Each structure stands twice: as structure tokens, then as C-alpha cells.
Amino acid sequence: MNTAPLVSSVAAGLGGVTSAMVGAPWWLTAGLFGCLALGLITVAVLQTLLPQESAHRLAWWRDCRRHQQLRRQSRIRQVRPDGHNATQGHNE
């Protein structure tokens, strides 16, 4: 996994954020850097979980699309010809 562009972008932006936070309350500074750290961790986890190789990524997206289509088809089958949902009770 190549995170060099991400790290360099964050490092470049950190200088501007630091200079903007001069004189701010400590809790605001801590909250900002906490959110930044949480964002970086989230990006790193997503890059680890999602496949990065082109063939694997294509297969992953095809599986997601196939799952969505199957879900959609099962919802359509649940609707009765008169337009009522088959899962609804008779008294509704």
C-alpha cells in the first residue's frame, strides 16, 4: 500500500492548520488534531479493507453491483400485482 501521497498532503496542510490555530483554546486545538487523526486512521483502514489491485477491485465492484441487483429483485417480487406490499398485514 502506497500512502506517500496521503502523508505528503497531510504534512503540507499541517503547517497552515498549525499557524491558523495559534492563540486558539487548547480544547479546540486538541479537537481539531483529534479529528485529523481519526480521519487519517479511517482512510488507512479503508485502503486496507478495499482491494487496491485493478483486477481485484473490479471483481469487488461487480460483487457489490450483483448484490444490489439481487436485493432489488427480491423487493420487486414482494410487491403483489395489486400494488400492495406482500409483507404488509391484511388490515392495513
Side-chain angles (χ1 to χ4, degrees):
M1 175 173 70
N2 186 8
T3 59
L6 176 66
V7 171
S8 62
S9 299
V10 170
L14 212 55
V17 170
T18 303
S19 65
M21 295 303 292
V22 170
W26 69 268
W27 54 268
L28 185 62
T29 306
L32 178 72
F33 283 107
C35 288
L36 178 67
L38 184 63
L40 288 175
I41 290 170
T42 302
V43 168
V45 167
L46 285 176
Q47 285 182 349
T48 301
L49 292 178
L50 295 177
Q52 299 300 312
E53 297 299 320
S54 182
H56 295 135
R57 189 181 312 165
L58 179 60
W60 188 83
W61 281 111
R62 282 182 179 163
D63 288 343
C64 286
R65 183 70 179 152
R66 189 177 305 121
H67 175 71
Q68 287 177 346
Q69 289 174 343
L70 290 174
R71 253 187 24 211
R72 192 173 298 126
Q73 288 174 357
S74 69
R75 285 185 196 156
I76 291 171
R77 275 189 242 128
Q78 289 179 352
V79 176
R80 296 188 316 210
D82 59 359
H84 290 89
N85 192 340
T87 58
Q88 292 176 345
H90 294 290
N91 297 334
E92 294 181 20

